[in-house]
Amino acid sequence: MVRLILLEWIKMRKRAAFWVPLGAFAVLLGLAEAPAYYRHLRQPGIHGGRMPGEWTTLLSNASFLALFVLLSATVILTGSERGWRTQRQHVIDGLSRAEYLGAKTLGALMTTIAFWASVIVLGFGLVLLDANLAADASALIAEPLHFRMMAGLFLILVLISSFGVMFGEISGSAAAGIVVAIFFFLIQLPTVVMMSLSGGVGGALTPYLPISAVLSLRDAAAYDPAAFAASLERDPTQALLPWTHAGALALLYSAGALAAAWLSLRWRDL
Amino acid sequence: MTRGSALAAVVETVDLTKRFRDHLAVDRVTLRIGQGESWAILGPNGSGKTTLLGMLLGVIRPTSGRIQLFGEYDGVRDHRARLRIGATLETPNYYPYLSGYDNLQITSTIKRVPKSAISRALETVGLSNRARDPVKAYSLGMKQRLVIAGALLSQPELVILDEPLNGLDPEGMYEMREVLRRVHAEGRALLIASHLIHEVERTCTHVALIRAGRVLYSGTIDELIPIGSAVFVRALDSENLLQRAAGYPACTTVRAEGDGAVIGIADGDIASLNRWLVAQGLDVIQLEPRRPTLEEVYLSLTGAREQAPVAVG
């Protein structure tokens, strides 16, 4: 295990395809927060942008942005190994195919942790900035809901990076993998709406699509039973699951994506 | 024609076959490579050399057949044997953005080799002064040398290289040849795939001739090319010599040399050739047994003889 982590770290520590998306993710997320925070500075308490309430927006934005940035990064980090034929060389050098996929999975997990940590660091940075303006700084850190949402974001990122590994592994090239992967998630957005409006079996299945797990875990209502019930009462057709169910679904889909990657790798000539 | 090795086998294949849809790439190949032997798989492009090596290295799944490595590992299912092999297939497979040193660090991590071996391997192939440069800045010759460094990193018992002389300039070819000879001299088994007949003849002691996925011969080069299987002939009517010699029933190859011809003969019966040439009206003035080149033998075995004897040279 340590050997596989070290193997991926040697590759990632100098890899632009890891650092550039990570930096872009953090910068874009920061830029998305900037207007709200600026308004908050100008007129405290009137608009949003104040911690800890702003965690909800920050974590929700992060999950949406990760759908493009983290997904692309993991597809590139996995798919380029086929283009460079380094995947083949690893097996020639003595790695089993299972060990190879294990290494890529650990690499994707390291990427996920880095992306997740960048969001948390950014959030606590906002907390520190807010602390200068508040009398009771300890009240600003985060509420239990936000800690649950942080866990939810991590599960979203795990789901996204697992699909990134799958598309990177199955597709012949990183570029093709990115296109297919983003299309896979984007096509589900209108599908969810249409299926939920159609009712019947389609409507019943809507909350169990991969994108539904993402949408549920980024929605604050999924973490609070009262808010969850109220939300469904307002719009019974929406694809919302309680966060525990959505989290389990995300882990299930992650395992499925990695299993698909394994099946592809196991039988293919490298 | 297949001859086994008396030494303990590091590679043994039995009826190894690979079919890509309706294309039979490797057809029932049975091969035995002993410890410390130096082998070449020789064949034209597309003959199945790389596919055969790919199966030995676990990256291509055989359709049928068996591979045994080092006498104890199932070469298809058990990856552990490859920790004892240093190898690469086709083009150098490295991370272009990483340095040569970093790339070898990856290899050393996989093979559980101490870091100290990296500097030693780079020194062996003369890349120490460029070790920290990114591989994308390397010339093809430098990349090939890095391939050799990677293959030798773990002091493997078996070194497998695919077209190791491809893209090298004459100096690079000389250096590579010396490295390969050293590998052999150190008692490691060597298996290279090549289409460069002259290089194979210089580097290896054993050869497997392959065409359309089938092994036509495997064994020592000395056994393949016995002295007397070719004859240098001079005749008074040298203009007709080449044409008449090509019609000799046991003729495998004919090529002009000076004012005579070198004639390959399948049965090694020089007296019979002499009688036949005289019967054809030629005044033979010199007959001298020769050892044909590997190229001549290769051409005769790979089917050029089936249409007409090929003049080589």
Side-chain angles (χ1 to χ4, degrees), chain A residues 98-145:
Chain A
E99 284 175 325
Y100 171 79
L101 188 64
K104 294 318 296 178
T105 304
L106 288 169
L109 188 61
M110 286 154 68
T111 311
T112 299
I113 290 170
F115 273 68
W116 182 77
S118 73
V119 180
I120 304 305
V121 167
L122 186 66
F124 279 104
L126 290 175
V127 168
L128 285 176
L129 288 172
D130 255 6
N132 291 327
L133 305 173
D136 180 12
S138 63
L140 296 173
I141 294 174
E143 291 170 1
L145 164 73

Side-chain angles (χ1 to χ4, degrees), chain B residues 86-156:
Chain B
T88 194
L89 266 189
E90 295 179 299
T91 51
N93 306 322
Y94 284 118
Y95 296 92
Y97 64 95
L98 288 179
S99 68
Y101 185 92
D102 287 338
N103 271 292
L104 291 190
Q105 203 182 346
I106 289 172
T107 312
S108 74
T109 304
I110 294 172
K111 289 189 174 290
R112 299 186 176 96
V113 173
K115 275 188 181 179
S116 57
I118 299 173
S119 304
R120 202 170 47 239
L122 286 166
E123 205 174 304
T124 304
V125 297
L127 273 181
S128 297
N129 58 340
R130 300 289 302 273
R132 301 289 171 178
D133 292 353
V135 166
K136 63 186 170 195
Y138 284 13
S139 66
L140 181 56
M142 290 167 70
K143 285 177 185 166
Q144 289 284 41
R145 280 192 273 166
L146 188 63
V147 163
I148 298 291
L152 300 180
L153 191 66
S154 60
Q155 305 283 310

